[in-house]
Amino acid sequence: MQPNQPNQTSQTSQNDPVDRKVVLVTGASSGIGEGIATRLVAEGHHVVAGARRTGHLRALADRTAGAATRSGGSLHPLELDVTERASVAAFVDGARRRFGRVDVFVNNAGVMPLSRLDSLLVDEWDRMIDVNVRGLLHGIAAALPVFADQGSGHFVTIASIGAHQVVPTSAVYSASKYAAWAITEGLRQESDPSIRVTTVSPGVVDSELADSITDPGAAAAMRTYRANAIAPDAIARAVGFAIDQPADVDVNEVIVRPTRQR
């Protein structure tokens, strides 16, 4: 199967247990997104993994094949650019055609090119807004009608500890993640009770996020800041906990960070 050509005839088995979910994960080619996809496949869910780097997604599918066989789950790579509304719509539509439903949409894709405001890295500011804010809104716009039609669904937003605090170099990033928090909280309040909404805010996690920092001062500060990072699986466990709750339980918000991060 090519990453951008989903199987249009495959459906979930009628014998699937009721707790086996169809979970869409954006930004699944590395870091937290890869960790979430890996864990959920091992827990027996059907994961549709989206990202621009389709080679990374194919490698992820290969790495999770053994776990999928053991658990009954699966991983299906699809090319995705969250900054393009049509791409996100096709991502959701492809998953729905393959499985007949979408149970969970994990808005995880994000970028973090930190810098001081007086560095005037405006293109990087724009990129953060496009991915971290517009990408989130595109996911909501694509999945919300599906959830409303089904009468069920679960949004999970991967925000950041930056949604709760601002430090030098984080002004734009924190603003984008506060926006993610605010949008998701508004979605929770506006949604029908059949639709669950969760925000997970990670602290320092091993990932490629810091690799996009071009500002030398911010990059140096981040190397010190990330000395006590935790593994992406810590965030994946929080997501697994939230989506595995009974339908009448809505885990609204979780903050997960290293014990040494204060």
Side-chain angles (χ1 to χ4, degrees):
M1 181 189 71
Q2 295 299 314
N4 59 350
Q5 295 178 341
N7 183 333
Q8 298 186 23
T9 60
S10 175
Q11 299 286 323
T12 50
S13 168
Q14 295 297 318
N15 297 321
D16 268 0
V18 294
D19 60 348
R20 191 189 306 282
K21 295 179 170 63
V22 177
V23 185
L24 279 60
V25 182
T26 72
S29 60
S30 66
I32 291 173
E34 178 184 351
I36 292 169
T38 299
R39 172 160 287 275
L40 295 185
V41 168
E43 292 179 352
H45 300 294
H46 298 297
V47 175
V48 182
R52 293 179 303 155
R53 297 181 298 181
T54 55
H56 285 62
L57 295 179
R58 288 192 292 270
L60 176 60
D62 291 341
R63 289 196 302 275
T64 57
T69 299
R70 292 188 295 272
S71 70
S74 61
L75 188 138
H76 306 272
L78 283 180
E79 186 173 6
L80 171 67
D81 182 347
V82 298
T83 68
E84 297 292 338
R85 184 177 177 183
S87 178
V88 183
F91 179 60
V92 173
D93 183 60
R96 194 182 194 189
R97 284 186 286 116
R98 170 180 283 275
F99 291 107
R101 69 180 198 271
V102 174
D103 299 311
V104 184
F105 193 100
V106 182
N107 268 304
N108 165 74
V111 294
M112 190 185 69
L114 302 179
S115 65
R116 289 175 54 91
L117 291 171
D118 56 13
S119 296
L120 298 178
L121 299 178
V122 179
D123 289 343
E124 294 184 359
W125 301 349
D126 288 344
R127 179 65 178 164
M128 279 189 279
I129 293 169
D130 285 343
V131 176
N132 299 355
V133 181
R134 289 194 179 94
L136 168 67
L137 290 169
H138 290 162
I140 293 170
L144 187 56
V146 175
F147 290 170
D149 182 59
Q150 293 175 166
S152 66
H154 193 164
F155 285 104
V156 179
T157 295
I158 306 301
S160 169
I161 195 65
H164 300 271
Q165 65 184 51
V166 181
V167 298
T169 74
S170 84
V172 178
Y173 177 72
S174 291
S176 73
K177 288 301 186 175
Y178 182 85
W181 178 91
I183 291 165
T184 307
E185 174 61 10
L187 176 65
R188 184 190 68 81
Q189 294 184 27
E190 293 177 6
S191 293
D192 184 88
S194 64
I195 298 174
R196 300 191 294 177
V197 182
T198 301
T199 303
V200 179
S201 292
V204 185
V205 176
D206 284 324
S207 73
E208 295 179 355
L209 276 179
D211 295 346
S212 64
I213 299 175
T214 63
D215 180 85
M222 183 53 60
R223 283 193 290 271
T224 300
Y225 188 65
R226 296 174 71 85
N228 297 302
I230 54 178
D233 187 61
I235 312 306
R237 293 195 302 272
V239 173
F241 171 78
I243 71 173
D244 285 343
Q245 297 305 302
D248 62 343
V249 176
D250 195 0
V251 179
N252 300 151
E253 186 168 8
V254 182
I255 297 176
V256 182
R257 54 184 159 190
T259 55
R260 292 181 177 272
Q261 185 180 359
R262 292 290 183 261

